[in-house]
Amino acid sequence: MASSSSCRAWYCLLAIFLLSSAALGQLSPSFYDASCPTLQRTVRATVMTALRGERRMGASLLRLHFHDCFVQGCDGSILLDDVGSFVGEKTAFPNVNSVRGYEVIDQIKTNVELLCPGVVSCADIAALAARDGTSLLGGPSWAVPLGRQDSTTASMTEANSDLPAPSLNLDGLTAAFAKKQLSPRDLTALSGAHTIGFSQCQNFRGHIYNDTNIDPAFATLRQRTCPAAAPAGDTNLAPFDVQTPLVFDNAYYRNLVARRGLLHSDQELFNGASQDALVSQYAANRALFASDFVTAMIKMGNLAPPTGAVTQIRRNCRAVNS
């Protein structure tokens, strides 16, 4: 009986330590080394299984983490379902019928809870899944700082206002990233995530029909599956990188130099302005891009919830603990 009480007390002390450390913003790659030593292997194995079923999922998990961090910080708020009067971020314009990977996060959470119940946040799972989705598609890996907590709130308003739109020009993109304490270099490096994955016709229609800073042959190629008149073909997909859409490399930047960026916002990075030189460097030097991408991902991953926000370790990533 005494040993059982001691065990319960030890778990309580551990939970208090984890919560207090995370609340102080002390993110560390070793945060779960004692409390959940198999966490990273579990996440990677689950992501690997998901990618065997659909390699595109690697890009989707990376995007999910980005869309989480740009709204209220990296707090798992994007994972919350609309329930009753609670309105989350999933139906915000940049996310609805677009952001994917929720089921993969659910599966990772289920697998982790079997091993380490009540310990690992959904926000940390999303960050690890983004890293593994990237590296399993040939991109860099990195030590993910951990110790985030999950929000008890979400903000559709902030999702609609703060997630960068594909129609933004360079000034708009720079301002959107600066609002998150991310530099123009971070912007250009993080945009390289578009070396994998796909986008919907409604996001690039204006660029391929109306813009002049686009290779005519590339515009014609994309117009074949993206009709000029909306809403016809709105959800038709096209790869960001037509050469290697499921390999994380630096082809995205070579495409920009060749005026083959899929989105208006993509091509804005190479359009006779401040980021042209960096885009050219990344196009020529994959290692430089990979290094800067990792630096920017860690910096973005450190975006914290607002001061005073109520947080927790959710049992179910889709719902606040009752």
Side-chain angles (χ1 to χ4, degrees), residues 11 42 85 144 146 161 178 190 197 239-240 247 273 275 305 318:
Y11 276 115
T42 303
S85 62
V144 177
L146 300 167
S161 65
L190 289 171
F240 283 109
V247 177
Q275 298 306 292
R318 294 175 179 264

Side-chain angles (χ1 to χ4, degrees), residues 94-176:
N95 297 333
V96 65
N97 299 320
S98 176
V99 171
R100 309 166 69 244
Y102 300 119
E103 294 79 8
V104 178
I105 300 299
D106 290 341
Q107 187 60 59
I108 296 171
K109 180 66 171 175
T110 296
N111 295 346
V112 169
E113 285 293 301
L114 289 173
L115 300 168
C116 319
V119 171
V120 181
S121 69
C122 300
D124 276 341
I125 286 173
L128 288 168
R131 187 270 313 274
D132 291 340
T134 298
S135 64
L136 288 168
L137 291 181
S141 187
W142 60 94
V144 177
L146 300 167
R148 298 169 188 82
Q149 292 189 22
D150 298 320
S151 70
T152 56
T153 63
S155 177
M156 178 186 283
T157 299
E158 192 173 328
N160 282 324
S161 65
D162 285 18
L163 287 166
S167 58
L168 288 182
N169 60 21
L170 183 57
D171 286 344
L173 291 167
T174 301

Side-chain angles (χ1 to χ4, degrees), residues 55 79 98 141 187-188 202 205 235 265 270 276-278:
R55 284 180 62 81
L79 303 172
S98 176
S141 187
L187 155 66
T188 301
Q202 62 184 325
R205 178 183 281 119
T235 59
S265 56
F270 191 86
D276 284 21
L278 185 57

Side-chain angles (χ1 to χ4, degrees), residues 51 55-56 58-59 133-140 192-198 239-252 254-255 286 289:
L51 264 64
R55 284 180 62 81
R56 177 188 166 207
T134 298
S135 64
L136 288 168
L137 291 181
H194 287 177
T195 196
I196 52 175
F198 296 75
F240 283 109
D241 167 20
V242 72
Q243 289 86 18
T244 54
L246 296 175
V247 177
F248 195 100
D249 53 21
N250 61 335
Y252 168 78
R254 295 196 297 273
N255 290 335
R286 181 173 177 175
F289 159 53

